[in-house]
Amino acid sequence: MNIIKSLNTNTLRFAILYAISFSVASLDLSITVRSGQMLTHSDFGGTASYAMIGIGMIIGSRCGMSLIEYFGLRRTYTLSAFLCIASGLLSSFSVRNNIFNIFCFSLILVGIFIGLSNYHRLLVQDIARIKSPWNTNLVLVSGIVGAIIGPWIAKQISPLPELFYKAYLAVALFGLLALILCFTLPKKYSLSKVNINFETNEMKKNIGVYKSLLYLGGLIGFCSYVTMTLVMTSVPLEATARSLTASNISSLIQWHMVAMYLPIVIVPILMSRFLIASILKFSLFISIIAFLISAYISYNHNVSYNSLLAYMLIAGIVWAFGYSVSSNIIAVNPYGIIYPKFRGIVEVFPPLGLIMGSLISGLSLSYINFNFVIFLACIFLVIPLLMILKESNNLNTYIK
């Protein structure tokens, strides 16, 4: 559990690459929903645009392990970097020339890049000499760099909708940087030859339990993403409807991103002192209460910058705990190590949550209201809470 032992070259290279990918993700988030709204003249068009990134993430997540096993780490992530560069250039061109179809295609490309980059948090654990939650969490927490840089760049070079195309050029530049850093990755990699630190007999005896916990990790990631995306995509549109400035909207996104990644550093500390099921139950329960209190306050008063900020902070913290613990469950699960295709399957769950959250958010804003979005966010926190209550004993026994 010692953080010092995880501060090494292996962790550093994956952390830097993940920080780059999240700079791209947060930059895209800062302007994509509003770009889609601008191109389609509808809230649903804005959130549906962001769902295109989720489709790309599904492709990258589902095919990631197969590509890595077949081509190796370096070649796979070199291809990924080229997709990011192409996405940035196509997004910039399509926004400037008002071509929605090309814009959607470009977002799928960047989604593939992000989906493949999400494997960095698992690969760092596979290759690490000493297994520890800090390996995964140090990679995840590096996203705080992207959480700050992405929205800041968007605010500096694209303060107005007519300048959004410039921010997408920055996406291409980040892709170029990722391409250069890909050469720090090893050429060869085989999941079957790494990270086998468990007794074979124990695995065979409890194979059903390990498989169930692998899917539970995917479910937690899915619900965390749905909840986070519901709030993340609806708040900028609600802020626009409330006539908040572009600077205020960028600030909301920036704080949301910080809330997503800063708490991640706490999770390994908690995991060293408390049972994993207890951490999950407590964080989910507190988040539901916080959402309900914030919804009650905003329902009885006008929605303001401060209330929208509260929603963004809560959604970020929900994701931080849910996705961080989910990642650790998946990373150390023996079933996913022995059968890589199942790791690829559960990796599809988070981007599915992103797509569902984006589409539901747009439909809710178009046909109901913003408060209904918050109500749905609470529902998607209750689901994993009930599942964790059911699987508490297995989680505490088999996930170390």
Side-chain angles (χ1 to χ4, degrees):
M1 288 292 187
N2 194 332
I3 186 175
I4 302 299
K5 294 180 180 179
S6 295
L7 293 173
N8 50 51
T9 303
N10 178 54
T11 306
L12 180 63
R13 62 185 172 188
F14 285 111
I16 294 174
L17 283 166
Y18 190 79
I20 291 171
S21 73
F22 202 73
S23 296
V24 170
S26 62
L27 201 160
D28 261 292
L29 168 63
S30 298
I31 57 175
T32 292
V33 175
R34 287 180 287 161
S35 294
Q37 183 189 45
M38 178 180 68
L39 293 175
T40 62
H41 308 289
S42 72
D43 288 346
F44 182 73
T47 56
S49 297
Y50 197 72
M52 294 299 107
I53 296 178
I55 291 174
M57 288 176 65
I58 287 177
I59 297 171
S61 298
R62 184 64 185 88
C63 301
M65 288 310 304
S66 298
L67 291 173
I68 291 168
E69 285 275 67
Y70 188 77
F71 292 111
L73 285 180
R74 188 178 297 182
R75 289 180 180 176
T76 298
Y77 284 102
T78 297
L79 172 62
S80 174
F82 276 118
L83 292 178
C84 182
I85 295 170
S87 172
L89 296 176
L90 286 173
S91 296
S92 180
F93 172 79
S94 58
V95 169
R96 193 168 190 182
N97 293 277
N98 199 36
I99 308 174
F100 184 65
N101 291 339
I102 294 179
F103 180 63
C104 289
F105 176 70
S106 71
L107 296 178
I108 292 175
L109 294 182
V110 82
I112 296 173
F113 169 75
I114 296 169
L116 289 171
S117 296
N118 282 339
Y119 275 100
H120 292 320
R121 77 195 200 286
L122 306 180
L123 296 169
V124 68
Q125 187 79 303
D126 292 339
I127 300 175
R129 293 182 179 179
I130 299 175
K131 312 305 176 185
S132 165
W134 279 112
N135 299 328
T136 295
N137 281 62
L138 284 174
V139 172
L140 283 174
V141 83
S142 69
I144 192 70
V145 177
I148 295 171
I149 290 177
W152 181 82
I153 290 175
K155 185 162 55 176
Q156 295 302 312
I157 65 178
S158 303
L160 300 173
E162 56 266 26
L163 298 176
F164 282 171
Y165 74 93
K166 290 186 176 181
Y168 288 113
L169 293 177
V171 169
L173 290 176
F174 276 120
L176 180 61
L177 182 58
L179 178 63
I180 295 170
L181 290 173
C182 281
F183 292 98
T184 67
L185 296 173
K187 291 182 179 180
K188 297 181 179 180
Y189 167 86
S190 176
L191 186 58
S192 61
K193 295 180 180 179
V194 299
N195 207 13
I196 307 301
N197 290 333
F198 49 85
E199 295 292 335
T200 304
N201 290 336
E202 180 192 350
M203 173 61 196
K204 290 179 179 178
K205 181 180 177 181
N206 300 295
I207 190 168
V209 176
Y210 282 121
K211 184 177 181 179
S212 175
L213 292 178
L214 183 69
Y215 278 96
L216 176 61
L219 176 67
I220 295 168
F222 169 81
C223 291
S224 299
Y225 254 96
V226 173
T227 301
M228 182 269 292
T229 310
L230 276 168
V231 177
M232 178 184 68
T233 55
S234 61
V235 164
L237 298 177
E238 182 70 11
T240 300
R242 300 283 175 175
S243 301
L244 269 66
T245 65
S247 178
N248 282 336
I249 295 173
S250 293
S251 177
L252 286 170
I253 294 169
Q254 198 166 27
W255 277 110
H256 170 70
M257 295 295 182
V258 171
M260 284 176 67
Y261 280 91
L262 192 57
I264 285 175
V265 74
I266 302 172
V267 175
I269 299 173
L270 294 175
M271 288 180 67
S272 68
R273 299 182 180 182
F274 303 100
L275 296 174
I276 189 170
S278 299
I279 298 169
L280 282 167
K281 286 185 286 188
F282 181 77
S283 63
L284 287 168
F285 181 75
I286 293 298
S287 300
I288 293 169
I289 297 300
F291 266 134
L292 292 175
I293 292 173
S294 299
Y296 176 79
I297 293 172
S298 64
Y299 181 78
N300 290 280
H301 301 83
N302 290 328
V303 177
S304 63
Y305 172 85
N306 288 334
S307 61
L308 293 177
L309 176 61
Y311 289 129
M312 289 293 249
L313 292 176
I314 296 168
I317 294 170
V318 164
W319 183 91
F321 277 86
Y323 193 59
S324 179
V325 175
S326 167
S327 297
N328 277 289
I329 291 173
I330 295 170
V332 302
N333 191 290
Y335 192 84
I337 294 169
I338 292 178
Y339 306 106
K341 73 173 184 178
F342 288 101
R343 180 187 269 189
I345 289 172
V346 297
E347 277 295 283
V348 169
F349 288 12
L352 276 176
L354 184 147
I355 293 173
M356 181 177 287
S358 298
L359 296 180
I360 293 176
S361 172
L363 290 171
S364 298
L365 288 176
S366 298
Y367 296 105
I368 308 178
N369 55 41
F370 179 70
N371 286 328
F372 185 71
V373 174
I374 303 304
F375 170 74
L376 289 176
C378 291
I379 295 297
F380 278 98
L381 292 181
V382 172
I383 294 171
L385 179 58
L386 294 176
M387 290 301 298
I388 291 161
L389 288 172
K390 179 177 178 294
E391 295 287 346
S392 288
N393 290 335
N394 287 336
L395 266 176
N396 294 332
T397 303
Y398 295 102
I399 302 298
K400 303 298 182 181

